[in-house]
Amino acid sequence: IEIYNISGIISVIYYFLVFQFIIFGLFYYRRFYTISKMIKQPNTFNSRESIIKLYYEFHFAIETYRSSIYILLPTSIALFTIMSGKDKTTDIIHKLYNFNATLETDPAFIYSILIVGVLSIVLLILLSEWIIKRFYGRYLKQLKQLMDEFED
């Protein structure tokens, strides 16, 4: 890929990671497509059973989204490294592949990769949880309130 100066085995890894994103994206959007079809049906909010079904479908879709994020975090960090590393990507992967030798010759590299990796994962998890609560949490609460109203 000429834009990012990616060639050789790194391009194969790049396309494999992008393929993973596409597969998980299709699965995720399929879940939300199912929910959008349910919402468009007439009388969706009229019966307790349909509200319960919608609530659990929506809850399952959110959990699918959450698990996809967790699974794709290492993939996204690897893609970011490949795309931002440009000519240095091969050296970075070579150093990580020869972990023991790199730890002896350049321990600062290994420590910096570990610190940046852990911080990135923690920050991305916190950001994703905030996004889930911000964009989906209130709708889940509204459906839960509707379910409670049907119980009364």
Side-chain angles (χ1 to χ4, degrees):
I1 304 165
E2 296 175 20
I3 296 173
Y4 302 113
N5 295 330
I6 299 171
S7 60
I9 191 70
I10 304 300
S11 64
V12 173
I13 294 170
Y14 171 82
Y15 284 118
F16 175 73
L17 296 174
V18 169
F19 178 74
Q20 282 183 324
F21 264 102
I22 291 169
I23 294 300
F24 278 104
L26 290 173
F27 182 68
Y28 164 72
Y29 284 114
R30 183 174 172 260
R31 294 292 326 146
F32 277 98
Y33 176 73
T34 303
I35 291 171
S36 68
K37 275 184 17 182
M38 286 177 63
I39 290 173
K40 291 178 184 176
Q41 291 178 356
N43 303 324
T44 299
F45 299 103
N46 289 347
S47 70
R48 182 176 184 273
E49 292 79 22
S50 61
I51 296 292
I52 290 172
K53 183 178 178 185
L54 182 62
Y55 174 80
Y56 285 110
E57 281 289 330
F58 192 61
H59 187 69
F60 181 68
I62 290 171
E63 291 304 316
T64 302
Y65 178 67
R66 180 177 280 128
S67 64
S68 295
I69 288 172
Y70 294 161
I71 290 169
L72 291 175
L73 274 177
T75 304
S76 62
I77 292 172
L79 273 175
F80 178 75
T81 303
I82 288 172
M83 292 183 340
S84 65
K86 301 212 179 211
D87 296 331
K88 298 177 184 178
T89 304
T90 306
D91 295 334
I92 292 170
I93 290 177
H94 181 71
K95 285 182 179 182
L96 291 174
Y97 182 74
N98 299 312
F99 182 82
N100 291 334
T102 305
L103 188 58
E104 291 176 8
T105 59
D106 192 8
F109 172 78
I110 298 296
Y111 295 137
S112 64
I113 290 290
L114 286 173
I115 290 169
V116 168
V118 168
L119 283 175
S120 298
I121 287 173
V122 167
L123 290 174
L124 289 171
I125 286 173
L126 291 174
L127 177 67
S128 66
E129 289 298 322
W130 178 79
I131 288 172
I132 288 169
K133 286 180 183 170
R134 171 89 165 91
F135 292 106
Y136 303 121
R138 74 175 162 185
Y139 299 115
L140 205 57
K141 286 180 185 176
Q142 288 174 353
L143 285 172
K144 181 72 170 154
Q145 287 173 348
L146 275 173
M147 283 174 35
D148 293 341
E149 287 177 14
F150 273 108
E151 287 180 7
D152 294 340

